[in-house]
Amino acid sequence: DTGVSQDPRHKITKRGQNVTFRCDPISEHNRLYWYRQTLGQGPEFLTYFQNEAQLEKSRLLSDRFSAERPKGSFSTLEIQRTEQGDSAMYLCASSPGQSNQPQHFGDGTRLSIL
Amino acid sequence: GQQVMQIPQYQHVQEGEDFTTYCNSSTTLSNIQWYKQRPGGHPVFLIQLVKSGEVKKQKRLTFQFGEAKKNSSLHITATQTTDVGTYFCAGPHNNAGNMLTFGGGTRLMVKP
């Protein structure tokens, strides 16, 4: 079991730059989720895919954020024109296709905006 | 919108003491999940409770789901240094499917 893999682990960039993160879920998992976590807080839901379909997006996901899962396997999360407030840990999780299954999290990508 | 709150935010205990964290939701939940996040790590699933009044045990950990399905608790008996981490409860986001709303977590620190 290779688990959920995220890349890169750390990203440091200047304000205004675009960044893209990748998530590879557990291979047999249909569902994929993106969360954002800031220091001392719980993960906040951003968006959710079932296979390649993006089924829900949080109001936290401004128009600068876009996520894709083109073939129903790996997913990318892009942030355009980054701002200081985007600094956070971006966590990806996956779960099997049935409802209310445990979510398996990756190690996250820590984004720091200079 | 739906809110999930946890108290306390932090807890320091001496090794061997008991520990309890409480979770309250602003809405009735179809189920509640608990996760543990070690320092520098990612959340790891511990357990899911579904039924009103349900109690589940995992070794020294006891999880309860309230009768009204709006609150839950996690109790650790005789804490060990390996219990260090942040414990999160999470409920289905707006009670719809798998998206989760997490509480703010309780950070447990254990003094040896």
Side-chain angles (χ1 to χ4, degrees), chain A residues 10-64:
Chain A
H10 304 275
K11 179 70 177 179
I12 302 172
T13 192
K14 292 182 180 178
R15 188 178 52 180
Q17 298 295 305
N18 299 344
V19 294
T20 300
F21 311 139
R22 176 179 170 125
C23 171
D24 286 87
I26 293 172
S27 57
E28 60 268 26
H29 285 180
N30 295 340
R31 300 187 181 197
L32 186 148
Y33 315 83
W34 286 99
Y35 291 86
R36 181 173 67 190
Q37 186 176 28
T38 52
L39 200 62
Q41 303 296 318
E44 295 174 292
F45 167 73
L46 293 179
T47 191
Y48 151 61
F49 290 85
Q50 179 150 341
N51 298 312
E52 66 275 8
Q54 188 175 18
L55 297 186
E56 181 130 352
K57 289 166 63 171
S58 164
R59 284 172 291 177
L60 291 174
L61 216 65
S62 76
D63 57 4
R64 297 184 297 105

Coordinates of all heavy atoms in Angstrom, one line a residue, chain A residues 10-64:
Chain A
H10 N 7.3 20.9 0.0 CA 7.4 22.3 0.4 C 7.5 23.1 -0.9 O 8.1 22.7 -1.9 CB 8.7 22.6 1.2 CG 8.8 21.7 2.4 ND1 8.2 22.1 3.6 CD2 9.4 20.5 2.6 CE1 8.4 21.1 4.5 NE2 9.2 20.2 3.9
K11 N 6.9 24.3 -0.8 CA 7.0 25.3 -2.0 C 7.1 26.7 -1.4 O 6.2 27.1 -0.6 CB 5.7 25.1 -2.8 CG 5.7 26.1 -4.0 CD 6.7 25.7 -5.1 CE 6.7 26.6 -6.3 NZ 7.7 26.2 -7.3
I12 N 8.1 27.4 -1.8 CA 8.3 28.7 -1.4 C 8.3 29.6 -2.6 O 9.0 29.3 -3.6 CB 9.7 29.0 -0.6 CG1 9.7 28.1 0.6 CG2 9.8 30.4 -0.3 CD1 11.1 28.1 1.3
T13 N 7.4 30.6 -2.6 CA 7.3 31.4 -3.8 C 7.0 32.8 -3.5 O 6.6 33.1 -2.3 CB 6.2 30.8 -4.8 OG1 6.3 31.5 -6.0 CG2 4.8 31.1 -4.2
K14 N 7.2 33.7 -4.4 CA 6.9 35.1 -4.2 C 5.5 35.4 -4.4 O 4.8 34.8 -5.3 CB 7.8 36.0 -5.1 CG 9.3 36.0 -4.8 CD 10.0 36.9 -5.7 CE 11.5 36.9 -5.4 NZ 12.3 37.7 -6.3
R15 N 4.9 36.4 -3.7 CA 3.6 36.8 -3.9 C 3.3 37.2 -5.4 O 4.2 37.8 -6.1 CB 3.3 38.0 -3.1 CG 1.8 38.5 -3.0 CD 1.7 39.6 -2.1 NE 2.6 40.7 -2.5 CZ 2.7 41.9 -1.8 NH1 1.9 42.1 -0.8 NH2 3.5 42.8 -2.2
G16 N 2.2 36.7 -5.9 CA 1.9 37.0 -7.3 C 2.2 35.9 -8.3 O 1.7 35.9 -9.4
Q17 N 3.0 34.9 -7.8 CA 3.4 33.8 -8.7 C 2.3 32.8 -8.7 O 1.5 32.7 -7.8 CB 4.7 33.2 -8.2 CG 5.9 34.1 -8.3 CD 6.2 34.5 -9.7 OE1 6.4 33.6 -10.6 NE2 6.2 35.8 -10.0
N18 N 2.3 31.9 -9.7 CA 1.4 30.8 -9.7 C 2.1 29.5 -9.2 O 3.3 29.4 -9.4 CB 0.9 30.5 -11.2 CG 0.2 31.7 -11.8 OD1 -0.3 32.6 -11.1 ND2 0.0 31.7 -13.1
V19 N 1.3 28.7 -8.5 CA 1.9 27.4 -8.0 C 0.9 26.3 -8.4 O -0.3 26.5 -8.5 CB 2.1 27.4 -6.5 CG1 3.2 28.4 -6.2 CG2 0.9 27.7 -5.7
T20 N 1.5 25.1 -8.5 CA 0.7 23.9 -8.8 C 1.1 22.8 -7.9 O 2.4 22.5 -7.9 CB 0.7 23.5 -10.3 OG1 0.3 24.6 -11.1 CG2 -0.1 22.3 -10.6
F21 N 0.2 22.1 -7.3 CA 0.5 20.9 -6.5 C -0.1 19.7 -7.1 O -1.1 19.8 -7.7 CB 0.0 21.1 -5.1 CG 0.3 22.4 -4.4 CD1 -0.7 23.0 -3.7 CD2 1.5 23.0 -4.5 CE1 -0.5 24.3 -3.1 CE2 1.8 24.2 -4.0 CZ 0.8 24.9 -3.2
R22 N 0.5 18.5 -6.8 CA 0.0 17.3 -7.3 C -0.3 16.3 -6.2 O 0.4 16.3 -5.2 CB 1.0 16.6 -8.3 CG 0.6 15.3 -8.8 CD 1.6 14.7 -9.7 NE 1.3 13.3 -10.0 CZ 1.2 12.8 -11.3 NH1 1.3 13.6 -12.3 NH2 0.9 11.5 -11.4
C23 N -1.4 15.5 -6.4 CA -1.7 14.5 -5.5 C -2.0 13.2 -6.2 O -2.8 13.2 -7.2 CB -3.0 14.9 -4.7 SG -3.7 13.6 -3.7
D24 N -1.4 12.1 -5.7 CA -1.6 10.8 -6.3 C -2.3 10.0 -5.2 O -1.7 9.7 -4.1 CB -0.3 10.1 -6.7 CG 0.2 10.6 -7.9 OD1 1.0 11.6 -7.9 OD2 -0.1 10.1 -9.0
P25 N -3.6 9.7 -5.4 CA -4.4 9.0 -4.3 C -4.0 7.5 -4.3 O -3.3 7.0 -5.1 CB -5.8 9.2 -4.8 CG -5.7 9.2 -6.3 CD -4.4 9.9 -6.6
I26 N -4.5 6.8 -3.3 CA -4.4 5.4 -3.3 C -5.2 4.8 -4.5 O -6.3 5.3 -4.8 CB -5.1 4.8 -2.0 CG1 -4.2 5.2 -0.8 CG2 -5.2 3.3 -2.0 CD1 -4.8 4.9 0.6
S27 N -4.5 3.9 -5.2 CA -4.9 3.6 -6.6 C -6.4 3.2 -6.7 O -7.1 3.5 -7.7 CB -4.0 2.5 -7.2 OG -4.0 1.4 -6.4
E28 N -6.9 2.4 -5.8 CA -8.3 1.9 -5.9 C -9.4 2.9 -5.4 O -10.5 2.6 -5.4 CB -8.5 0.6 -5.3 CG -8.2 0.5 -3.8 CD -6.8 0.2 -3.5 OE1 -5.9 0.5 -4.3 OE2 -6.5 -0.3 -2.3
H29 N -8.9 4.1 -4.9 CA -9.9 5.0 -4.4 C -10.5 5.9 -5.4 O -9.8 6.6 -6.2 CB -9.2 5.9 -3.3 CG -8.9 5.2 -2.0 ND1 -8.3 5.8 -1.0 CD2 -9.2 3.9 -1.6 CE1 -8.3 4.9 0.1 NE2 -8.8 3.8 -0.3
N30 N -11.8 6.0 -5.5 CA -12.5 6.8 -6.4 C -12.6 8.3 -6.0 O -12.7 9.2 -6.8 CB -14.0 6.4 -6.6 CG -14.1 5.0 -7.2 OD1 -13.1 4.5 -7.8 ND2 -15.2 4.3 -7.0
R31 N -12.6 8.5 -4.7 CA -12.9 9.9 -4.2 C -11.6 10.5 -3.8 O -10.7 9.9 -3.2 CB -13.8 9.8 -3.0 CG -15.2 9.2 -3.4 CD -16.2 9.3 -2.4 NE -17.5 8.7 -2.8 CZ -18.6 8.9 -2.2 NH1 -18.7 9.7 -1.2 NH2 -19.7 8.3 -2.7
L32 N -11.5 11.8 -4.1 CA -10.3 12.6 -3.8 C -10.7 14.0 -3.3 O -11.6 14.6 -3.8 CB -9.4 12.7 -5.0 CG -8.0 13.4 -4.9 CD1 -7.0 12.8 -5.8 CD2 -8.1 14.9 -5.0
Y33 N -10.0 14.4 -2.2 CA -10.4 15.6 -1.5 C -9.1 16.5 -1.4 O -8.0 16.0 -1.2 CB -10.9 15.4 -0.1 CG -11.9 14.2 -0.1 CD1 -11.4 12.9 0.0 CD2 -13.2 14.5 -0.1 CE1 -12.3 11.9 0.1 CE2 -14.2 13.4 0.0 CZ -13.7 12.1 0.1 OH -14.6 11.1 0.1
W34 N -9.4 17.8 -1.4 CA -8.3 18.8 -1.1 C -8.8 19.6 0.2 O -10.0 20.0 0.2 CB -8.1 19.8 -2.2 CG -7.3 19.2 -3.4 CD1 -7.8 18.7 -4.5 CD2 -5.8 19.1 -3.5 NE1 -6.7 18.3 -5.4 CE2 -5.6 18.5 -4.7 CE3 -4.8 19.4 -2.6 CZ2 -4.2 18.2 -5.1 CZ3 -3.5 19.1 -3.0 CH2 -3.2 18.5 -4.3
Y35 N -7.8 19.7 1.1 CA -8.1 20.5 2.3 C -6.9 21.5 2.5 O -5.8 21.3 2.0 CB -8.1 19.6 3.5 CG -9.3 18.7 3.7 CD1 -9.2 17.4 3.1 CD2 -10.4 19.0 4.4 CE1 -10.3 16.5 3.2 CE2 -11.5 18.2 4.5 CZ -11.4 16.9 3.9 OH -12.5 16.0 4.0
R36 N -7.2 22.6 3.2 CA -6.2 23.5 3.6 C -6.1 23.5 5.1 O -7.1 23.6 5.8 CB -6.5 24.9 3.0 CG -5.4 26.0 3.4 CD -5.7 27.2 2.6 NE -6.9 27.9 3.1 CZ -7.5 28.9 2.5 NH1 -7.0 29.4 1.4 NH2 -8.6 29.5 3.0
Q37 N -4.9 23.6 5.6 CA -4.7 23.6 7.1 C -3.7 24.7 7.5 O -2.6 24.7 7.0 CB -4.3 22.2 7.6 CG -4.2 22.2 9.2 CD -3.9 20.8 9.7 OE1 -3.1 20.0 9.0 NE2 -4.3 20.5 10.9
T38 N -4.1 25.6 8.3 CA -3.2 26.6 8.9 C -2.8 26.2 10.3 O -3.5 25.4 10.9 CB -3.8 28.0 8.8 OG1 -5.1 27.9 9.5 CG2 -4.0 28.5 7.4
L39 N -1.8 26.8 10.8 CA -1.2 26.4 12.1 C -2.2 26.5 13.2 O -2.9 27.5 13.4 CB 0.0 27.3 12.4 CG 1.0 26.7 13.4 CD1 1.6 25.5 12.9 CD2 2.1 27.8 13.7
G40 N -2.4 25.4 13.9 CA -3.3 25.4 15.1 C -4.7 25.2 14.7 O -5.6 25.3 15.6
Q41 N -5.0 25.0 13.5 CA -6.4 24.8 13.1 C -6.6 23.4 12.5 O -5.7 22.7 12.1 CB -6.8 25.8 12.0 CG -6.6 27.3 12.4 CD -7.5 27.6 13.6 OE1 -8.7 27.3 13.6 NE2 -6.9 28.4 14.5
G42 N -7.9 23.0 12.4 CA -8.2 21.8 11.7 C -8.2 22.0 10.2 O -8.3 23.1 9.7
P43 N -8.1 20.9 9.4 CA -8.2 21.0 8.0 C -9.5 21.6 7.5 O -10.6 21.3 8.1 CB -8.1 19.5 7.5 CG -7.4 18.8 8.6 CD -7.9 19.5 9.9
E44 N -9.5 22.5 6.5 CA -10.7 23.1 6.0 C -10.9 22.5 4.6 O -10.0 22.5 3.7 CB -10.5 24.6 5.9 CG -10.4 25.3 7.2 CD -10.1 26.8 6.9 OE1 -9.0 27.1 6.5 OE2 -11.0 27.6 7.2
F45 N -12.1 22.0 4.3 CA -12.5 21.4 3.1 C -12.4 22.4 1.9 O -12.9 23.6 2.1 CB -13.9 20.8 3.1 CG -14.5 20.5 1.8 CD1 -14.0 19.3 1.2 CD2 -15.5 21.2 1.3 CE1 -14.6 19.0 -0.1 CE2 -16.0 20.9 0.0 CZ -15.6 19.8 -0.6
L46 N -11.8 22.1 0.8 CA -11.7 22.9 -0.4 C -12.5 22.4 -1.5 O -13.4 23.1 -2.1 CB -10.2 23.1 -0.8 CG -9.3 23.8 0.1 CD1 -7.9 23.9 -0.5 CD2 -9.8 25.3 0.3
T47 N -12.3 21.1 -1.9 CA -13.0 20.6 -3.0 C -12.9 19.1 -3.0 O -12.1 18.5 -2.3 CB -12.4 21.2 -4.4 OG1 -13.3 20.8 -5.4 CG2 -11.0 20.6 -4.7
Y48 N -13.8 18.4 -3.8 CA -13.9 17.0 -3.8 C -14.2 16.5 -5.2 O -15.0 17.1 -5.9 CB -15.1 16.7 -2.8 CG -15.9 15.5 -3.1 CD1 -15.3 14.2 -3.1 CD2 -17.3 15.6 -3.3 CE1 -16.1 13.1 -3.2 CE2 -18.1 14.5 -3.5 CZ -17.5 13.2 -3.4 OH -18.3 12.1 -3.6
F49 N -13.6 15.4 -5.6 CA -13.8 14.7 -6.8 C -14.3 13.3 -6.6 O -13.8 12.6 -5.7 CB -12.5 14.6 -7.6 CG -11.9 15.9 -8.1 CD1 -11.2 16.7 -7.3 CD2 -12.2 16.3 -9.4 CE1 -10.6 17.9 -7.8 CE2 -11.7 17.5 -9.9 CZ -10.9 18.3 -9.1
Q50 N -15.2 12.9 -7.4 CA -15.5 11.4 -7.6 C -15.1 11.1 -9.0 O -15.7 11.6 -10.0 CB -17.0 11.1 -7.3 CG -17.3 9.6 -7.5 CD -18.4 9.2 -6.6 OE1 -18.8 9.8 -5.6 NE2 -18.9 8.0 -6.9
N51 N -14.1 10.2 -9.1 CA -13.5 9.9 -10.4 C -13.0 11.3 -10.9 O -12.3 12.0 -10.2 CB -14.4 9.2 -11.3 CG -14.8 7.8 -10.7 OD1 -13.9 7.1 -10.2 ND2 -16.1 7.5 -10.6
E52 N -13.4 11.6 -12.2 CA -12.9 12.8 -12.8 C -13.8 14.0 -12.5 O -13.5 15.1 -12.9 CB -12.6 12.6 -14.3 CG -13.9 12.4 -15.1 CD -14.3 10.9 -15.1 OE1 -13.7 10.1 -14.4 OE2 -15.2 10.6 -15.9
A53 N -15.0 13.8 -12.0 CA -15.9 14.8 -11.8 C -15.7 15.6 -10.5 O -15.7 15.0 -9.4 CB -17.3 14.2 -11.8
Q54 N -15.6 16.9 -10.6 CA -15.5 17.8 -9.4 C -16.9 18.0 -8.9 O -17.7 18.8 -9.5 CB -14.8 19.1 -9.8 CG -14.4 19.9 -8.5 CD -13.6 21.1 -8.9 OE1 -13.5 21.5 -10.1 NE2 -13.0 21.7 -7.9
L55 N -17.3 17.4 -7.8 CA -18.7 17.5 -7.3 C -19.0 18.6 -6.3 O -20.1 18.9 -6.2 CB -19.0 16.1 -6.7 CG -19.0 14.9 -7.7 CD1 -19.6 13.7 -7.0 CD2 -19.8 15.2 -8.9
E56 N -18.0 19.1 -5.6 CA -18.3 20.1 -4.7 C -17.0 21.0 -4.5 O -15.9 20.5 -4.5 CB -18.7 19.6 -3.3 CG -19.0 20.6 -2.3 CD -20.3 20.4 -1.6 OE1 -21.1 19.5 -2.0 OE2 -20.6 21.2 -0.6
K57 N -17.3 22.3 -4.4 CA -16.3 23.3 -4.1 C -16.7 24.2 -2.9 O -17.8 24.6 -2.9 CB -16.0 24.2 -5.3 CG -15.4 23.5 -6.5 CD -15.5 24.3 -7.8 CE -14.8 25.6 -7.7 NZ -14.8 26.3 -9.0
S58 N -15.8 24.4 -2.0 CA -16.0 25.2 -0.9 C -16.1 26.7 -1.3 O -15.4 27.1 -2.3 CB -15.0 25.0 0.2 OG -15.0 26.0 1.2
R59 N -16.7 27.5 -0.5 CA -16.7 29.0 -0.7 C -15.3 29.5 -0.5 O -15.0 30.6 -0.9 CB -17.7 29.7 0.2 CG -19.1 29.5 -0.3 CD -20.1 30.1 0.7 NE -20.1 29.2 1.9 CZ -20.8 29.5 3.0 NH1 -21.5 30.6 3.1 NH2 -20.8 28.7 4.1
L60 N -14.5 28.7 0.2 CA -13.1 29.1 0.4 C -12.3 29.2 -0.9 O -11.3 29.8 -1.0 CB -12.4 28.2 1.4 CG -12.8 28.2 2.9 CD1 -12.1 27.0 3.6 CD2 -12.6 29.5 3.5
L61 N -12.8 28.4 -1.8 CA -12.0 28.2 -3.1 C -12.4 29.4 -4.0 O -13.3 29.4 -4.7 CB -12.4 26.9 -3.7 CG -11.3 26.2 -4.5 CD1 -10.2 25.7 -3.5 CD2 -11.9 25.0 -5.2
S62 N -11.5 30.5 -3.9 CA -11.8 31.7 -4.7 C -11.5 31.3 -6.2 O -11.0 30.2 -6.5 CB -10.9 32.8 -4.3 OG -9.5 32.6 -4.7
D63 N -11.7 32.3 -7.1 CA -11.5 32.1 -8.5 C -10.0 32.0 -8.8 O -9.7 31.6 -10.0 CB -12.2 33.1 -9.3 CG -11.8 34.5 -9.0 OD1 -10.8 34.7 -8.2 OD2 -12.3 35.5 -9.5
R64 N -9.1 32.2 -7.9 CA -7.7 32.0 -8.2 C -7.3 30.6 -8.0 O -6.2 30.2 -8.4 CB -6.9 32.9 -7.2 CG -7.1 34.4 -7.3 CD -6.1 35.2 -6.4 NE -6.4 34.9 -5.0 CZ -5.6 34.1 -4.2 NH1 -4.5 33.6 -4.7 NH2 -5.9 33.9 -3.0

